[in-house]
Amino acid sequence: MLEHISIPRGPIELAADLHRPDGVDDVQPLRAVVLSTPGSSAKEQIGANYASRLAARGIAALVFDPAHQGQSGGEPRDLEDPYRRSEDIFYAIDALTTIPGIDPHRIGVLGICAGGGYAVHTARTDHRIKAVGAIDPGEIGSSFRGFQADGPAAALDSLAEAESAGVTDVDLLQALRYYRTERGQNEHSTNRRLTRGDSLLIGFDAFHLVDQLMIQPLQLILAENLDGTGFDESGKRLWDLAPNPVDRMVIKNARHYEMYDVPEYVDAAVDRLATFYTNHL
C-alpha cells in the first residue's frame, strides 16, 4: 500500500512515499524504516525497490526526495549538500512519528551508497533511530576527494557514450546502464549535481565520531565485487568504527550497481534486513 505524503522542512516540503504492509490490522503499531538513497537519485528508483520489499515483509518504509532534488522543494536545484541530506532524515523521522499506525519508538534507517553515509551521520546524534542498516555505504567525502575536479556527475555526463568510446570499466558501465537507460531513468531525477556543493562534499566525513556516538546496532551489507570502487574500504571503516556491529553480509557475485535493482541481490539483502529490523526494532 503506497501513500504519497509531504514532509515539512522549514520553508519547503519534501516529497515522500510511505510504503505500508498490506493486510495488517491497526491494533499493533508498525515498525518503520526511513530510507536514505544514493546521491542524486529519486525516490522512485533504488529507494522504492527496497521500500516496497520491506513493506512486503511487514515493515513500513518511508522514502523521500532530498531537498533541492526530485519533486521536493528547495533552491538552487540539484544541490547535493551532505549536511542537508543528513538533516533531511531528521525531518523524515519527525514526520514519521506523527503518522497513525507507526510506532515512534521502533524506527530504523536504511542507507544505500552515499545514502548509507548520510544515514550513519544522522544516526550518530539522532537516537530516535534504533537500528541502522547500510548497503555498500559510501563515505562521500573521501570518495569525492578522489574524483576528478569536475566531479562524478560531470564524469558520467561526459561518458554517456562510454561503451562506444571504448570504456571497459565494468562499474562505470553499470552506472551508465542504470542511470542513463530506461532501466533506471526517472522523470524526477535530473542526475545532475550543482557544483556549489562541491566544497561541502570535499570537507565532509560521514563517519566522524561514529565510534563515540553511534550506539545503535548496525547491519552491514556489501556486494562481493567492490574492488576499485571504494565501497569496500568505506564498509570496512564503518564496521571497524561502529560500537555495536551486529551482522555483516556479503552478497555473492554482486557488483555495486547491481545492488540497486537486480532482484536476486535486492531480495537477499532485504531478507537479511527484515530479520535485523524485526530483532532490533
Side-chain angles (χ1 to χ4, degrees), residues 33 35 50 54 57 59 109-112 131-135 218-221 247 249 259 266-281:
V33 172
L35 280 90
Y50 281 88
L54 285 169
R57 290 159 175 80
I59 300 169
V109 290
L110 172 60
I112 306 158
V132 179
I135 299 173
L218 170 68
Q219 169 73 64
L220 179 63
I221 296 179
D247 183 51
M249 180 187 191
M259 294 301 300
V266 177
D267 284 334
V270 175
D271 283 343
R272 193 69 152 253
L273 286 161
T275 298
F276 168 73
Y277 291 126
T278 298
N279 290 339
H280 294 282
L281 291 180

Side-chain angles (χ1 to χ4, degrees), residues 26-106:
D26 296 328
V27 176
Q28 183 69 29
L30 293 166
R31 300 176 179 86
V33 172
V34 174
L35 280 90
S36 178
T37 56
S40 302
S41 65
K43 61 187 177 300
E44 295 84 1
Q45 295 173 308
I46 305 97
N49 291 334
Y50 281 88
S52 60
R53 284 171 166 84
L54 285 169
R57 290 159 175 80
I59 300 169
L62 179 70
V63 60
F64 59 89
D65 288 336
H68 308 275
Q69 300 178 26
Q71 293 177 290
S72 291
E75 295 291 340
R77 302 305 296 167
D78 302 317
L79 179 67
E80 184 76 12
D81 180 335
Y83 302 98
R84 288 183 70 78
R85 282 290 310 260
S86 300
E87 191 180 36
D88 286 339
I89 301 171
F90 284 99
Y91 285 99
I93 294 172
D94 284 347
L96 196 56
T97 60
T98 68
I99 295 175
I102 300 297
D103 190 335
H105 304 294
R106 294 197 296 174

Side-chain angles (χ1 to χ4, degrees), residues 249-266:
M249 180 187 191
V250 175
I251 305 293
K252 294 296 184 183
N253 301 317
R255 306 193 74 88
H256 174 68
Y257 292 100
E258 292 175 328
M259 294 301 300
Y260 285 7
D261 68 338
V262 174
E264 67 175 291
Y265 301 147
V266 177

Side-chain angles (χ1 to χ4, degrees), residues 220-251:
L220 179 63
I221 296 179
L222 300 172
E224 181 179 30
N225 299 304
L226 292 176
D227 288 350
T229 65
F231 293 108
D232 49 349
E233 297 172 0
S234 60
K236 182 180 186 305
R237 182 184 172 209
L238 174 59
W239 185 256
D240 290 343
L241 284 172
N244 191 10
V246 169
D247 183 51
R248 178 180 180 273
M249 180 187 191
V250 175
I251 305 293

Side-chain angles (χ1 to χ4, degrees), residues 10 22 60 82 95 104 113-114 126 139 167 206 208 230 251 253 265 274 280:
D22 290 329
C113 190
D126 190 340
E139 203 297 276
V167 174
H208 180 56
I251 305 293
N253 301 317
Y265 301 147
H280 294 282

